[in-house]
Amino acid sequence: MLGRTLQEVSAALKQGQITPVELCQKCLSLIKKTKFLNAYITISEEVALKQAEESEKRYKKGHSLGALDGIPVAVKDNFSTSGIETTCASNMLKGYVPPYNATVVQRLLDQGAVLMGKTNLDEFAMGSGSTDGVFGPVKNPWSYSKQYREKRKQKPHGENEDSNWLITGGSSGGSAAAVSAFTCFAALGSDTGGSTRNPAAHCGIVGFKPSYGLVSRHGLIPLVNSMDVPGILTRCVDDAATVLGVLAGHDPKDSTTIQDPGKPFMLSSLTDVSKLCIGIPKEYLVPELSSEVRSFWSKAANLFESEGAKVIEVSLPHTSYSIVCYHVLCTSEVASNMARFDGLEYGHRCDIDVSTEAMYAATRREGFNDVVRGRILAGNFFLLKENYANYFIKAQKVRRLIANDFVNVFNSGVDVLLTPTTLSEAVPYLEFIKEDNRTRSAQDDIFTQAVNMAGLPAVKILLLLSQNPMPRNQNNSTLY
Amino acid sequence: MAAPMLRGCCLGRCWALACIDSGSRHGRGAATGFTSSGKRGQSFVAQQPLLTAQKSRKGEHKWAAVVGLEIHAQIASNSKLFSGSQVHFAAPPNSLVSFFDASLPGTLPVLNRRCVEAAVMTGLALNCHINKKSLFDRKHYFYADLPAGYQITQQRLPIAVNGSLAYSVCVGKKWRQVITKTVRIKQIQLEQDSGKSLHDELRSQTLIDLNRAGVGLLEVVLEPDMSCGEEAATAVRELQLILQALGTSQANMAEGQLRVDANISVHHPGEPLGVRTEVKNLNSARFLARAIDYEIQRQINELENGCEILNETRSFDYKLGCTVPMRDKEGKQDYRFMPEPNLPPLLLYDTASLPAGADPQQVINIDRIREQLPELPSETREKLIQQYGILPEHSFALLNEVGLLEFFQNVIKETRAEPKKVTSWVLNIFLGFLKQRNLAVNESPVTPSVLAELLNLLDRKVISSAAAKQVFEELWRSKGKTPSQIVSERKLELMQDEEALERVCHAVMEGHPQVVMDMKRGNPRAINKLIGLVRKVTHNRADPTVIKEILEKQLSS
């Protein structure tokens, strides 16, 4: 039952093949069994069972709320959940219990979804491995697949079984692992530079980043307000569409959401791709791209072409500036957004009370990890009066150029861009941590992050399983 | 005598018309006063020896002072600028705080329409250009009563720019010449107020009240077109009246709804401007004028002693009457401005640019707000002058006291007395009584209709002017009595019996032969003495003009 898609299990609930409480319990026991994955920071067992019971009553009365009623879901621990601890995997927010629900959480609950828990991430979503949170790294469920273990055994240096596990990617690695390990049917992630699509790629599931402004950010603890979007992680594309249908739409509490009521997201069973024009951005063919990913990329393109789609090479000329530009804009907004964590109103507060300033300094030193502190420092540097024009303003201009690249390509008749999500398949933890967070983030966001600059939607879908046998993936982005 | 309503600005030559503070109705001490030439933008203080340091030699350069202001006015609105929390003065601490006001992570600002309308209306009233597109920015600094670590303001592109504010000062021998001065308005920006910190030095604690955090402010930036404390205070007073007339701010300085920072420098005319200092948090008009004048004098003294002026932030110690450098370096820090990413550009429309089919709830039409502009204080004054023929300075005085204009108009409605008479009574006698007792107009025991009745008695010559003042005093003491009752109880009616009055006059003349002799010798004062004596005998019940007629008749016979 847990292996089914959201749509399938929804049908099963309707037909009474399983009750919401039974489903919830199955998921809870699997969550416990897979605890070693470290996918969840908080398991909201009591709340989940209560919600499942409510759902069960509705099903018995014959008025279920819809496709999500009784469906176990998980939420990344940077979305505010009323009455449930929300930590951002940081000492700063350990023990912080928000008094309100993020709009996206509320919309899921309003549809009867059952909240299983809060999932692990890099501290304040700053990272691409889900390795830099205060609760420890998330392990990729595929590390424990039969195929992967067999493959590792063949290798001579596979001496320590425990250290051979793979990372999930990040920063929404907990949500990706939770969905991938069948502990829930959909999960919320957040996506600022690829944080939903990257772990979806490494965990072999669907990761959807909606257009900026389509889904409310109210209650999402921000990384970069101008790029953050709530992301959706599911095991198939139809499920992502179902969840998007619930989440999308104007929110009076988020002034950057679009007013347009929008249409329901119904996916036609698309078989005819002959009218589709698919762009292959030539700048994405970088030397760092692994040969395996490159070959899958061309296989995917060939597949479309053989089905009658027009596949053309396109140019996004400013792509190479994207990562540096992102670094300036991201750290600047981080410096600003993190200013509120001073230990006064909520969150961690140090014991030092010599002066208010000393209290701030110690609280923030104890509360944030090196990655967060480093970004705050860099961001404040870029925002200094003497640096603002040289860094922030220029980065904004480059961002506009990057966005225009996409506009030009889509105006030229291209419907969809086909790109890889990551440079390579998921790497083992021990290999991943050889590079620092900053380097990793810069490398890993390369294919995903320009889309955030432009506010475009993107979906990471599973195309083929690699020989490895890690999931292989492609990243599609289109204009709505 | 209009002096009680006027306050001296510059010794003997320049009078500000605005009554800034009821506690200080007379010209200030010589140390802070100085001369204004009366011409816009030129006020050369050296004509006043008091303003140059004692050491200065003759023929030395004159000093000119340059004053600019940043004024924060709390917007009168039910809820805060970006959250739904209510706005009330003196509510229990931290009782008006939303999740956003406390900067809970994940909360987002939602712009309050009312605050935008108030900013547009204020901008229009101050002759500003309204920007159809304006932007919000974050201004960062760590302070305990700023929960987010930044304030949302409009640094790059404010909602209104390039306006002007006219205010008037009176000059000339009798201060009858009203001179209108203008100060340019650089910009009006919307921004959040901070919370309040209460420092408990004894326990070395700071307590934070976030009720004020996030309340909408209009920051009005006045260009450095003023040249003394009184000009600044008068301009602020005029702005206060405009905001109150518009209803966009209650602008009560005592409740912190209007707060002023002043930028001050001095230089020699014709030379570049001097280094400026900023005097922060001036919360009363009286202190504003005093602080500015003190600071001008201090800078002149420093410079004449060969010292330098530091570009620094100072505060005014109202107990010592001087400005002192502020301990914290708040004014010096880098605010690391950044666009506020959670608020899209604020777009305004006029009738021509209004998108077809736009939801009126979602758009703001500048032209519609312009149509709703109420009468501004300057227009009200002009009307008073036209309608009642009263003096310009009286029109200022009538507007300066809350409720006084309405009181005046209600008296006018019910009396046949001349408007000038009513003005004199309301401004001198009525207001004088209020000030003595420290009462507001609406606390007066004398209602407009009672005063109107009294003035009618005076107008019909039922009582003398002196008797009317007696009645007025009596009205203040014995609430509920009408003027007519008091007049009959106290027998204050004018003597209508001319024969009896003639007899009194005759008797007085008999009794004072020396005075009569003086009069016959042509001493013009002598008759006044006789009139006074007759009035005394008649207990002020005789009309002086009638007495004079009788005396003159009897003398010549």
Side-chain angles (χ1 to χ4, degrees), chain A residues 327-328 331-332 335 374-392, chain B residues 334 336:
Chain A
H327 181 67
V328 174
T331 55
S332 299
R375 290 202 194 183
I376 292 172
L377 188 66
N380 277 320
F381 175 82
F382 296 136
L383 290 178
L384 285 177
K385 208 173 180 180
E386 73 228 49
N387 296 333
Y388 186 76
N390 277 340
Y391 292 95
F392 192 84
Chain B
D334 191 324
R336 290 158 287 135

PDB file of all heavy atoms in Angstrom, chain A residues 327-328 331-332 335 374-392, chain B residues 334 336:
ATOM      1  N   HIS A 327      25.318  34.315  -5.444  1.00  0.00           N
ATOM      2  CA  HIS A 327      26.045  34.405  -4.192  1.00  0.00           C
ATOM      3  C   HIS A 327      25.864  35.782  -3.544  1.00  0.00           C
ATOM      4  O   HIS A 327      25.596  35.889  -2.350  1.00  0.00           O
ATOM      5  CB  HIS A 327      27.538  34.134  -4.435  1.00  0.00           C
ATOM      6  CG  HIS A 327      28.352  34.179  -3.186  1.00  0.00           C
ATOM      7  ND1 HIS A 327      28.218  33.238  -2.187  1.00  0.00           N
ATOM      8  CD2 HIS A 327      29.284  35.064  -2.763  1.00  0.00           C
ATOM      9  CE1 HIS A 327      29.045  33.545  -1.200  1.00  0.00           C
ATOM     10  NE2 HIS A 327      29.708  34.641  -1.521  1.00  0.00           N
ATOM     11  N   VAL A 328      25.953  36.834  -4.343  1.00  0.00           N
ATOM     12  CA  VAL A 328      25.808  38.193  -3.812  1.00  0.00           C
ATOM     13  C   VAL A 328      24.377  38.427  -3.325  1.00  0.00           C
ATOM     14  O   VAL A 328      24.149  38.887  -2.205  1.00  0.00           O
ATOM     15  CB  VAL A 328      26.179  39.240  -4.884  1.00  0.00           C
ATOM     16  CG1 VAL A 328      25.880  40.652  -4.391  1.00  0.00           C
ATOM     17  CG2 VAL A 328      27.644  39.103  -5.266  1.00  0.00           C
ATOM     18  N   THR A 331      23.425  36.005  -0.215  1.00  0.00           N
ATOM     19  CA  THR A 331      24.025  36.346   1.080  1.00  0.00           C
ATOM     20  C   THR A 331      23.490  37.680   1.596  1.00  0.00           C
ATOM     21  O   THR A 331      23.294  37.849   2.799  1.00  0.00           O
ATOM     22  CB  THR A 331      25.558  36.398   0.985  1.00  0.00           C
ATOM     23  OG1 THR A 331      25.923  37.309  -0.044  1.00  0.00           O
ATOM     24  CG2 THR A 331      26.149  35.023   0.701  1.00  0.00           C
ATOM     25  N   SER A 332      23.215  38.615   0.682  1.00  0.00           N
ATOM     26  CA  SER A 332      22.686  39.909   1.122  1.00  0.00           C
ATOM     27  C   SER A 332      21.323  39.745   1.784  1.00  0.00           C
ATOM     28  O   SER A 332      21.068  40.286   2.857  1.00  0.00           O
ATOM     29  CB  SER A 332      22.562  40.869  -0.065  1.00  0.00           C
ATOM     30  OG  SER A 332      23.826  41.097  -0.638  1.00  0.00           O
ATOM     31  N   ALA A 335      21.757  38.009   5.120  1.00  0.00           N
ATOM     32  CA  ALA A 335      22.222  38.918   6.170  1.00  0.00           C
ATOM     33  C   ALA A 335      21.037  39.689   6.748  1.00  0.00           C
ATOM     34  O   ALA A 335      20.911  39.861   7.963  1.00  0.00           O
ATOM     35  CB  ALA A 335      23.254  39.882   5.599  1.00  0.00           C
ATOM     36  N   GLY A 374      28.886  32.679   7.948  1.00  0.00           N
ATOM     37  CA  GLY A 374      29.683  33.106   6.794  1.00  0.00           C
ATOM     38  C   GLY A 374      28.845  33.879   5.794  1.00  0.00           C
ATOM     39  O   GLY A 374      29.263  34.914   5.268  1.00  0.00           O
ATOM     40  N   ARG A 375      27.625  33.380   5.541  1.00  0.00           N
ATOM     41  CA  ARG A 375      26.780  34.087   4.574  1.00  0.00           C
ATOM     42  C   ARG A 375      26.330  35.436   5.116  1.00  0.00           C
ATOM     43  O   ARG A 375      26.231  36.412   4.369  1.00  0.00           O
ATOM     44  CB  ARG A 375      25.559  33.226   4.211  1.00  0.00           C
ATOM     45  CG  ARG A 375      25.942  32.019   3.381  1.00  0.00           C
ATOM     46  CD  ARG A 375      24.757  31.479   2.597  1.00  0.00           C
ATOM     47  NE  ARG A 375      25.040  30.134   2.078  1.00  0.00           N
ATOM     48  CZ  ARG A 375      24.203  29.444   1.318  1.00  0.00           C
ATOM     49  NH1 ARG A 375      23.022  29.948   0.995  1.00  0.00           N
ATOM     50  NH2 ARG A 375      24.518  28.240   0.885  1.00  0.00           N
ATOM     51  N   ILE A 376      26.046  35.491   6.416  1.00  0.00           N
ATOM     52  CA  ILE A 376      25.653  36.775   7.018  1.00  0.00           C
ATOM     53  C   ILE A 376      26.788  37.787   6.859  1.00  0.00           C
ATOM     54  O   ILE A 376      26.565  38.944   6.469  1.00  0.00           O
ATOM     55  CB  ILE A 376      25.300  36.591   8.518  1.00  0.00           C
ATOM     56  CG1 ILE A 376      24.018  35.780   8.666  1.00  0.00           C
ATOM     57  CG2 ILE A 376      25.164  37.948   9.216  1.00  0.00           C
ATOM     58  CD1 ILE A 376      23.694  35.380  10.101  1.00  0.00           C
ATOM     59  N   LEU A 377      27.999  37.332   7.123  1.00  0.00           N
ATOM     60  CA  LEU A 377      29.157  38.224   7.039  1.00  0.00           C
ATOM     61  C   LEU A 377      29.334  38.734   5.603  1.00  0.00           C
ATOM     62  O   LEU A 377      29.484  39.932   5.358  1.00  0.00           O
ATOM     63  CB  LEU A 377      30.412  37.478   7.492  1.00  0.00           C
ATOM     64  CG  LEU A 377      31.670  38.318   7.644  1.00  0.00           C
ATOM     65  CD1 LEU A 377      31.492  39.320   8.771  1.00  0.00           C
ATOM     66  CD2 LEU A 377      32.880  37.433   7.902  1.00  0.00           C
ATOM     67  N   ALA A 378      29.271  37.803   4.658  1.00  0.00           N
ATOM     68  CA  ALA A 378      29.448  38.185   3.251  1.00  0.00           C
ATOM     69  C   ALA A 378      28.344  39.148   2.825  1.00  0.00           C
ATOM     70  O   ALA A 378      28.608  40.171   2.187  1.00  0.00           O
ATOM     71  CB  ALA A 378      29.442  36.939   2.370  1.00  0.00           C
ATOM     72  N   GLY A 379      27.125  38.825   3.196  1.00  0.00           N
ATOM     73  CA  GLY A 379      25.987  39.652   2.788  1.00  0.00           C
ATOM     74  C   GLY A 379      26.089  41.065   3.332  1.00  0.00           C
ATOM     75  O   GLY A 379      25.851  42.043   2.621  1.00  0.00           O
ATOM     76  N   ASN A 380      26.465  41.176   4.597  1.00  0.00           N
ATOM     77  CA  ASN A 380      26.618  42.517   5.173  1.00  0.00           C
ATOM     78  C   ASN A 380      27.726  43.293   4.479  1.00  0.00           C
ATOM     79  O   ASN A 380      27.634  44.511   4.317  1.00  0.00           O
ATOM     80  CB  ASN A 380      26.874  42.431   6.679  1.00  0.00           C
ATOM     81  CG  ASN A 380      25.576  42.275   7.446  1.00  0.00           C
ATOM     82  OD1 ASN A 380      24.574  42.902   7.110  1.00  0.00           O
ATOM     83  ND2 ASN A 380      25.572  41.428   8.464  1.00  0.00           N
ATOM     84  N   PHE A 381      28.745  42.580   4.049  1.00  0.00           N
ATOM     85  CA  PHE A 381      29.817  43.230   3.299  1.00  0.00           C
ATOM     86  C   PHE A 381      29.275  43.808   1.987  1.00  0.00           C
ATOM     87  O   PHE A 381      29.537  44.954   1.641  1.00  0.00           O
ATOM     88  CB  PHE A 381      30.938  42.227   3.032  1.00  0.00           C
ATOM     89  CG  PHE A 381      32.043  42.760   2.159  1.00  0.00           C
ATOM     90  CD1 PHE A 381      33.048  43.546   2.701  1.00  0.00           C
ATOM     91  CD2 PHE A 381      32.070  42.481   0.805  1.00  0.00           C
ATOM     92  CE1 PHE A 381      34.066  44.048   1.899  1.00  0.00           C
ATOM     93  CE2 PHE A 381      33.086  42.980   0.001  1.00  0.00           C
ATOM     94  CZ  PHE A 381      34.085  43.772   0.553  1.00  0.00           C
ATOM     95  N   PHE A 382      28.482  43.008   1.280  1.00  0.00           N
ATOM     96  CA  PHE A 382      27.957  43.470  -0.014  1.00  0.00           C
ATOM     97  C   PHE A 382      26.991  44.646   0.150  1.00  0.00           C
ATOM     98  O   PHE A 382      26.818  45.444  -0.763  1.00  0.00           O
ATOM     99  CB  PHE A 382      27.243  42.333  -0.752  1.00  0.00           C
ATOM    100  CG  PHE A 382      28.159  41.190  -1.119  1.00  0.00           C
ATOM    101  CD1 PHE A 382      27.755  39.875  -0.915  1.00  0.00           C
ATOM    102  CD2 PHE A 382      29.413  41.426  -1.651  1.00  0.00           C
ATOM    103  CE1 PHE A 382      28.590  38.818  -1.247  1.00  0.00           C
ATOM    104  CE2 PHE A 382      30.256  40.376  -1.979  1.00  0.00           C
ATOM    105  CZ  PHE A 382      29.852  39.068  -1.778  1.00  0.00           C
ATOM    106  N   LEU A 383      26.350  44.712   1.305  1.00  0.00           N
ATOM    107  CA  LEU A 383      25.349  45.769   1.516  1.00  0.00           C
ATOM    108  C   LEU A 383      25.946  47.057   2.074  1.00  0.00           C
ATOM    109  O   LEU A 383      25.249  48.071   2.170  1.00  0.00           O
ATOM    110  CB  LEU A 383      24.249  45.269   2.459  1.00  0.00           C
ATOM    111  CG  LEU A 383      23.300  44.209   1.898  1.00  0.00           C
ATOM    112  CD1 LEU A 383      22.299  43.781   2.965  1.00  0.00           C
ATOM    113  CD2 LEU A 383      22.554  44.721   0.673  1.00  0.00           C
ATOM    114  N   LEU A 384      27.211  47.037   2.452  1.00  0.00           N
ATOM    115  CA  LEU A 384      27.828  48.262   2.968  1.00  0.00           C
ATOM    116  C   LEU A 384      27.708  49.363   1.923  1.00  0.00           C
ATOM    117  O   LEU A 384      27.793  49.101   0.717  1.00  0.00           O
ATOM    118  CB  LEU A 384      29.301  48.025   3.302  1.00  0.00           C
ATOM    119  CG  LEU A 384      29.615  47.244   4.580  1.00  0.00           C
ATOM    120  CD1 LEU A 384      31.116  47.044   4.710  1.00  0.00           C
ATOM    121  CD2 LEU A 384      29.058  47.949   5.807  1.00  0.00           C
ATOM    122  N   LYS A 385      27.551  50.566   2.403  1.00  0.00           N
ATOM    123  CA  LYS A 385      27.364  51.719   1.517  1.00  0.00           C
ATOM    124  C   LYS A 385      28.414  51.760   0.408  1.00  0.00           C
ATOM    125  O   LYS A 385      28.109  51.997  -0.753  1.00  0.00           O
ATOM    126  CB  LYS A 385      27.432  52.986   2.360  1.00  0.00           C
ATOM    127  CG  LYS A 385      26.646  54.136   1.816  1.00  0.00           C
ATOM    128  CD  LYS A 385      26.654  55.278   2.822  1.00  0.00           C
ATOM    129  CE  LYS A 385      25.876  56.458   2.291  1.00  0.00           C
ATOM    130  NZ  LYS A 385      25.883  57.561   3.245  1.00  0.00           N
ATOM    131  N   GLU A 386      29.676  51.496   0.798  1.00  0.00           N
ATOM    132  CA  GLU A 386      30.756  51.615  -0.195  1.00  0.00           C
ATOM    133  C   GLU A 386      30.771  50.452  -1.184  1.00  0.00           C
ATOM    134  O   GLU A 386      31.408  50.539  -2.227  1.00  0.00           O
ATOM    135  CB  GLU A 386      32.106  51.713   0.529  1.00  0.00           C
ATOM    136  CG  GLU A 386      32.583  50.401   1.139  1.00  0.00           C
ATOM    137  CD  GLU A 386      33.045  50.538   2.588  1.00  0.00           C
ATOM    138  OE1 GLU A 386      32.281  51.143   3.383  1.00  0.00           O
ATOM    139  OE2 GLU A 386      34.128  50.054   2.909  1.00  0.00           O
ATOM    140  N   ASN A 387      30.085  49.357  -0.860  1.00  0.00           N
ATOM    141  CA  ASN A 387      30.112  48.188  -1.740  1.00  0.00           C
ATOM    142  C   ASN A 387      28.822  47.959  -2.507  1.00  0.00           C
ATOM    143  O   ASN A 387      28.792  47.189  -3.463  1.00  0.00           O
ATOM    144  CB  ASN A 387      30.395  46.920  -0.920  1.00  0.00           C
ATOM    145  CG  ASN A 387      31.764  46.964  -0.287  1.00  0.00           C
ATOM    146  OD1 ASN A 387      32.668  47.626  -0.793  1.00  0.00           O
ATOM    147  ND2 ASN A 387      31.921  46.269   0.827  1.00  0.00           N
ATOM    148  N   TYR A 388      27.769  48.604  -2.055  1.00  0.00           N
ATOM    149  CA  TYR A 388      26.429  48.307  -2.564  1.00  0.00           C
ATOM    150  C   TYR A 388      26.353  48.408  -4.089  1.00  0.00           C
ATOM    151  O   TYR A 388      25.865  47.495  -4.760  1.00  0.00           O
ATOM    152  CB  TYR A 388      25.434  49.259  -1.906  1.00  0.00           C
ATOM    153  CG  TYR A 388      24.000  48.978  -2.219  1.00  0.00           C
ATOM    154  CD1 TYR A 388      23.333  47.912  -1.619  1.00  0.00           C
ATOM    155  CD2 TYR A 388      23.284  49.779  -3.118  1.00  0.00           C
ATOM    156  CE1 TYR A 388      22.001  47.657  -1.903  1.00  0.00           C
ATOM    157  CE2 TYR A 388      21.958  49.521  -3.403  1.00  0.00           C
ATOM    158  CZ  TYR A 388      21.318  48.462  -2.791  1.00  0.00           C
ATOM    159  OH  TYR A 388      20.006  48.210  -3.075  1.00  0.00           O
ATOM    160  N   ALA A 389      26.872  49.504  -4.622  1.00  0.00           N
ATOM    161  CA  ALA A 389      26.772  49.708  -6.078  1.00  0.00           C
ATOM    162  C   ALA A 389      27.627  48.695  -6.837  1.00  0.00           C
ATOM    163  O   ALA A 389      27.241  48.216  -7.906  1.00  0.00           O
ATOM    164  CB  ALA A 389      27.188  51.128  -6.432  1.00  0.00           C
ATOM    165  N   ASN A 390      28.766  48.351  -6.264  1.00  0.00           N
ATOM    166  CA  ASN A 390      29.686  47.430  -6.949  1.00  0.00           C
ATOM    167  C   ASN A 390      29.217  45.986  -6.921  1.00  0.00           C
ATOM    168  O   ASN A 390      29.593  45.206  -7.795  1.00  0.00           O
ATOM    169  CB  ASN A 390      31.063  47.494  -6.298  1.00  0.00           C
ATOM    170  CG  ASN A 390      31.862  48.649  -6.845  1.00  0.00           C
ATOM    171  OD1 ASN A 390      31.558  49.147  -7.930  1.00  0.00           O
ATOM    172  ND2 ASN A 390      32.843  49.091  -6.090  1.00  0.00           N
ATOM    173  N   TYR A 391      28.486  45.630  -5.903  1.00  0.00           N
ATOM    174  CA  TYR A 391      28.097  44.235  -5.771  1.00  0.00           C
ATOM    175  C   TYR A 391      26.583  44.039  -5.946  1.00  0.00           C
ATOM    176  O   TYR A 391      26.140  43.400  -6.892  1.00  0.00           O
ATOM    177  CB  TYR A 391      28.534  43.677  -4.414  1.00  0.00           C
ATOM    178  CG  TYR A 391      30.027  43.553  -4.274  1.00  0.00           C
ATOM    179  CD1 TYR A 391      30.777  44.553  -3.678  1.00  0.00           C
ATOM    180  CD2 TYR A 391      30.694  42.428  -4.772  1.00  0.00           C
ATOM    181  CE1 TYR A 391      32.151  44.443  -3.560  1.00  0.00           C
ATOM    182  CE2 TYR A 391      32.061  42.306  -4.653  1.00  0.00           C
ATOM    183  CZ  TYR A 391      32.794  43.311  -4.051  1.00  0.00           C
ATOM    184  OH  TYR A 391      34.144  43.189  -3.938  1.00  0.00           O
ATOM    185  N   PHE A 392      25.813  44.620  -5.027  1.00  0.00           N
ATOM    186  CA  PHE A 392      24.384  44.313  -5.030  1.00  0.00           C
ATOM    187  C   PHE A 392      23.699  44.812  -6.303  1.00  0.00           C
ATOM    188  O   PHE A 392      22.982  44.062  -6.973  1.00  0.00           O
ATOM    189  CB  PHE A 392      23.713  44.918  -3.786  1.00  0.00           C
ATOM    190  CG  PHE A 392      22.321  44.410  -3.559  1.00  0.00           C
ATOM    191  CD1 PHE A 392      22.099  43.215  -2.885  1.00  0.00           C
ATOM    192  CD2 PHE A 392      21.221  45.099  -4.050  1.00  0.00           C
ATOM    193  CE1 PHE A 392      20.821  42.725  -2.688  1.00  0.00           C
ATOM    194  CE2 PHE A 392      19.937  44.612  -3.866  1.00  0.00           C
ATOM    195  CZ  PHE A 392      19.743  43.429  -3.174  1.00  0.00           C
TER     196      PHE A 392
ATOM    197  N   ASP B 334      26.299  52.314   9.359  1.00  0.00           N
ATOM    198  CA  ASP B 334      25.935  52.010   7.980  1.00  0.00           C
ATOM    199  C   ASP B 334      24.645  51.190   8.010  1.00  0.00           C
ATOM    200  O   ASP B 334      24.613  50.093   8.552  1.00  0.00           O
ATOM    201  CB  ASP B 334      27.080  51.211   7.341  1.00  0.00           C
ATOM    202  CG  ASP B 334      26.903  51.072   5.844  1.00  0.00           C
ATOM    203  OD1 ASP B 334      25.749  50.929   5.399  1.00  0.00           O
ATOM    204  OD2 ASP B 334      27.927  51.086   5.143  1.00  0.00           O
ATOM    205  N   ARG B 336      23.052  49.739   5.698  1.00  0.00           N
ATOM    206  CA  ARG B 336      23.024  48.624   4.738  1.00  0.00           C
ATOM    207  C   ARG B 336      21.636  48.511   4.066  1.00  0.00           C
ATOM    208  O   ARG B 336      20.985  47.476   4.120  1.00  0.00           O
ATOM    209  CB  ARG B 336      23.418  47.316   5.434  1.00  0.00           C
ATOM    210  CG  ARG B 336      24.878  47.275   5.825  1.00  0.00           C
ATOM    211  CD  ARG B 336      25.128  46.284   6.940  1.00  0.00           C
ATOM    212  NE  ARG B 336      24.604  46.796   8.198  1.00  0.00           N
ATOM    213  CZ  ARG B 336      23.900  46.085   9.060  1.00  0.00           C
ATOM    214  NH1 ARG B 336      23.654  44.819   8.832  1.00  0.00           N
ATOM    215  NH2 ARG B 336      23.447  46.622  10.178  1.00  0.00           N
TER     216      ARG B 336
END
